[in-house]
């Protein structure tokens, strides 16, 4: 083929192009904040005209909500896989706390803070935040119910226990923008301790179990008893 022949441009399908736009927006949301998502910013990142972005998302608010939803859903699927074959309920819960601690999830914690703040003024985003919070509660409550059914957990009310755990996680995650190095260990372990207490597990069970699990993440990201868990959806 002659080197002077113009290379044929490959058109992406509408679904692929839309997914590419959402992925780019989610990356910007995690690294720079939801306020940084604009049609021009996404167009520059993908090397396309802003008009192409507006073809898929006429209102930037829809793209902001979609970006948050994509990032939050990816977090949920990583921390709490829906597949019950991923281990026993206790192992899955230990893996959750191992993955949801440390600097690896600081960005997603900040994103939750960012989204909850902006959702006061942006109804589309508020709807997506509420939806993601419901998904979080449902996924964790299903895990707790599985544990109760199998005799691994003991709780009088799986729904209440789930909310108590998530409230503590959110409380710790709310400090993702501030220094936490001077926190006492009893504070940094509050989410894990709450889970063990509310589910009838001996103290230290989840931390000890997490040390023997292959989480698929670097050790520094999961060594976690000293770090606060990522934000979630209480």
């Amino acid at each position: 083929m002659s080197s002077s022949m113009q290379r044929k441009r490959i058109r992406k399908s509408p679904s692929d192009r839309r997914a590419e736009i959402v992925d780019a927006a989610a990356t910007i949301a995690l690294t720079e904040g939801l306020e940084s998502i604009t049609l021009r910013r996404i167009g520059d990142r993908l090397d396309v005209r802003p008009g192409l972005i507006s073809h898929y998302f006429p209102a930037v608010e829809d793209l902001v909500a979609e970006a948050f939803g994509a990032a939050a859903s990816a977090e949920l699927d990583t921390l709490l896989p829906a597949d019950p074959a991923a281990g026993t309920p206790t192992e899955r819960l230990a893996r959750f706390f191992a993955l949801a601690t440390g600097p690896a999830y600081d960005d997603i914690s900040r994103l939750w803070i960012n989204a909850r703040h902006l959702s006061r003024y942006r109804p589309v985003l508020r709807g997506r935040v509420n939806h993601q919070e419901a998904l979080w509660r449902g996924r964790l409550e299903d895990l707790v119910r599985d544990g109760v059914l199998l005799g691994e957990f003991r709780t009088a009310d799986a729904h209440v226990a789930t909310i108590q755990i998530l409230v503590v996680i959110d409380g710790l995650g709310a400090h993702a923008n501030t220094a936490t190095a001077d926190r006492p260990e009893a504070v940094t372990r509050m989410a894990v301790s709450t889970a063990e207490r509310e589910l009838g597990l001996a103290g230290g069970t989840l931390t000890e179990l997490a040390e023997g699990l292959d989480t698929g993440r670097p050790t520094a990201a999961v060594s976690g008893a000293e770090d606060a868990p990522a934000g979630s959806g209480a």
Side-chain angles (χ1 to χ4, degrees), residues 61 118-128:
E61 294 304 319
L118 292 180
S119 68
R120 294 178 60 194
Y121 318 102
R122 304 185 180 187
V124 177
L125 178 60
R126 182 164 61 248
R128 186 57 61 93

Side-chain angles (χ1 to χ4, degrees), residues 75-81 86 88-102 105 108 136-137 139-141 143-144 153 162 165-170 191-192 195 199 206 209-210 213-215 217 221-222 224 227-233:
E75 175 202 23
L76 177 58
D77 288 339
T78 297
L79 299 184
L80 288 171
T88 68
T90 307
E91 288 173 342
R92 290 158 61 197
L93 189 60
R95 179 182 180 276
F96 161 71
F97 280 113
L99 285 171
T101 54
Y105 269 86
I108 195 70
W136 264 86
R137 287 193 298 271
R139 189 75 61 87
L140 183 56
E141 186 173 339
L143 172 57
V144 171
F153 303 152
T162 296
I165 294 168
L166 289 176
V167 164
V168 177
I169 290 175
D170 282 340
V192 177
L199 301 179
L206 296 175
L209 185 56
L213 294 177
D214 179 10
T215 60
R217 293 188 63 85
V222 301
D227 297 298
S232 61

Side-chain angles (χ1 to χ4, degrees), residues 45-133:
R45 185 177 183 88
L46 297 179
D47 194 26
V48 299
R49 294 181 182 277
L52 177 63
I53 310 301
S54 65
H55 172 73
Y56 289 91
F57 293 95
V60 71
E61 294 304 319
D62 292 334
L63 179 55
V64 169
E66 193 75 11
F68 168 72
S73 291
E75 175 202 23
L76 177 58
D77 288 339
T78 297
L79 299 184
L80 288 171
D83 181 8
T88 68
T90 307
E91 288 173 342
R92 290 158 61 197
L93 189 60
R95 179 182 180 276
F96 161 71
F97 280 113
L99 285 171
T101 54
Y105 269 86
D106 281 351
D107 283 345
I108 195 70
S109 293
R110 294 186 182 102
L111 181 60
W112 273 98
I113 296 171
N114 188 200
R116 282 173 168 147
H117 170 67
L118 292 180
S119 68
R120 294 178 60 194
Y121 318 102
R122 304 185 180 187
V124 177
L125 178 60
R126 182 164 61 248
R128 186 57 61 93
V129 169
N130 290 339
H131 176 67
Q132 291 299 145
E133 288 178 341

Side-chain angles (χ1 to χ4, degrees), residues 13-30:
S13 69
S15 60
D16 287 345
R17 177 65 76 182
R18 189 181 191 282
E20 179 185 54
I21 292 170
V22 172
D23 182 65
T27 299
I28 290 174
L30 283 166

